[in-house]
Amino acid sequence: MSAGLPEFGKIVIFGTGLIGGSFALALKEAGAVEEVVGFGRTPATLRVAQQLGIIDRAGINPAHEIADADIVLVATPVAQMAEIFARIAPYLGPNTLVTDGGSTKGDVVAAARAAFKGHIGKFVPAHPIAGAEHSGPAAARWDLYQGKKVVVTPLAENNDERLDRIKRAWARCGADIYELTPEQHDRVFAAVSHLPHLLSYALVHDLAVREDADLFFTFAASGFRDFTRIAGSHPEMWRDICLANRDALLGELDSYRAQLDTLRTALAAADGERLEDIFGIARQARRDWAGG
């Protein structure tokens, strides 16, 4: 890279909402990219993304945009990624790298292997841990990734140069970079991300379908708000995540049901000592995690 030039030339983004749009804005804020080209499901969304300065122009045909791109970020719901991989696979240039922002990795890697075949080494999977309950281009922020974790899940076919380049792109967004295998990633995030979303949706749904739902929501306060904030997340995206990581999520759901059964047994027996013991362990674990 010559002195004074941005580190990346063209970046192509599929999905210009919270994840993809924030990636683009962060690289622009850092002066690290020359041009951002966006693809999306509707022209209206792309017009908004361009008006907000997320993209410089909308892409029309991947055949005209992929070959000379430095990085292609696929930041759509995970169920859409296989089709996008198949669309761009014939046009990968010699220096084009592909990464993603998906919340599951096993299914995404399988889709990438099927589409990219002998070029799978050009795909470096990643997952930015910086979601929010809002979506669309208007939700994108240049500082979304500042101090946040991005988990890269390298493949055996990724050489050091390609891996480092994708890490560098996320680091220029302000993120702290971590590595897990795809299998480790899906097991961990089934427990600490996917299950909490499932539980939050379940609680709000349970109240919403009651005949006197308005009564409950009238008196719901900060505890309910904190626990259910993530139930405001994009339903389509979380449907896809839950289905994509189904096996690991079912295991975590079974473990949680067993914990609920333990609590129910203690409550039915008026076993205050057991309840306090469980609550105490949980409080200390959360304090340790949250730094006090």
Side-chain angles (χ1 to χ4, degrees):
M1 183 179 68
S2 302
L5 291 178
E7 189 166 353
F8 305 101
K10 182 200 285 187
I11 301 289
V12 175
I13 295 177
F14 286 82
T16 56
L18 176 71
I19 298 301
S22 296
F23 182 79
L25 290 175
L27 290 178
K28 286 187 171 190
E29 178 70 17
V33 61
E34 291 181 11
E35 181 183 36
V36 178
V37 178
F39 285 86
R41 288 194 288 184
T42 67
T45 298
L46 292 174
R47 281 196 297 272
V48 171
Q50 190 166 358
Q51 291 166 359
L52 293 173
I54 293 170
I55 62 175
D56 298 303
R57 58 186 176 85
I60 298 174
N61 188 340
H64 301 152
E65 304 292 355
I66 302 301
D68 63 341
D70 285 347
I71 294 175
V72 178
L73 170 65
V74 182
T76 64
V78 291
Q80 299 174 20
M81 290 186 181
E83 185 269 335
I84 293 171
F85 292 160
R87 283 172 60 196
I88 68 176
Y91 311 115
L92 295 180
N95 298 315
T96 303
L97 296 181
V98 182
T99 189
D100 76 300
S103 296
T104 55
K105 294 275 76 84
D107 61 315
V108 172
V109 169
R113 288 191 180 281
F116 299 139
K117 298 181 172 63
H119 296 287
I120 188 62
K122 296 179 179 180
F123 176 65
V124 182
H127 176 200
I129 317 304
E133 61 270 28
H134 302 296
S135 59
R141 304 185 345 238
W142 72 267
D143 61 346
L144 180 69
Y145 302 118
Q146 293 286 319
K148 300 295 179 59
K149 298 179 177 68
V150 169
V151 179
V152 178
T153 62
L155 307 180
E157 295 87 349
N158 296 145
N159 63 33
D160 289 343
E161 181 181 356
R162 289 168 174 167
L163 178 59
D164 288 345
R165 192 148 174 78
I166 293 300
K167 286 182 175 180
R168 180 65 179 162
W170 287 110
R172 292 300 300 270
C173 294
D176 298 324
I177 312 302
Y178 293 78
E179 282 191 29
L180 294 172
T181 68
E183 296 76 17
Q184 287 173 325
H185 172 280
D186 286 356
R187 181 170 58 86
V188 168
F189 283 92
V192 301
S193 176
H194 308 163
L195 180 64
H197 278 81
L198 199 69
L199 300 178
S200 184
Y201 282 123
L203 176 58
V204 177
H205 180 269
D206 176 49
L207 297 181
V209 298
R210 297 186 188 188
E211 290 185 1
D212 54 350
D214 288 347
L215 179 64
F216 289 93
F217 287 118
T218 295
F219 293 100
S222 58
F224 182 83
R225 184 180 299 276
D226 291 345
F227 185 79
T228 62
R229 177 186 60 80
I230 52 179
S233 301
H234 199 293
E236 178 188 9
M237 180 182 75
W238 280 97
R239 173 202 68 192
D240 293 347
I241 290 169
C242 288
L243 292 175
N245 204 22
R246 182 177 58 183
D247 290 343
L249 184 52
L250 282 170
E252 292 301 328
L253 188 57
D254 288 342
S255 178
Y256 191 80
R257 289 176 66 180
Q259 184 69 208
L260 289 178
D261 287 342
T262 297
L263 289 170
R264 191 186 190 288
T265 298
L267 188 60
D271 188 348
E273 184 177 350
R274 179 63 173 140
L275 289 174
E276 185 176 356
D277 181 56
I278 292 171
F279 295 167
I281 292 172
R283 181 180 71 165
Q284 188 59 51
R286 193 187 187 286
R287 285 182 168 180
D288 290 345
W289 167 74

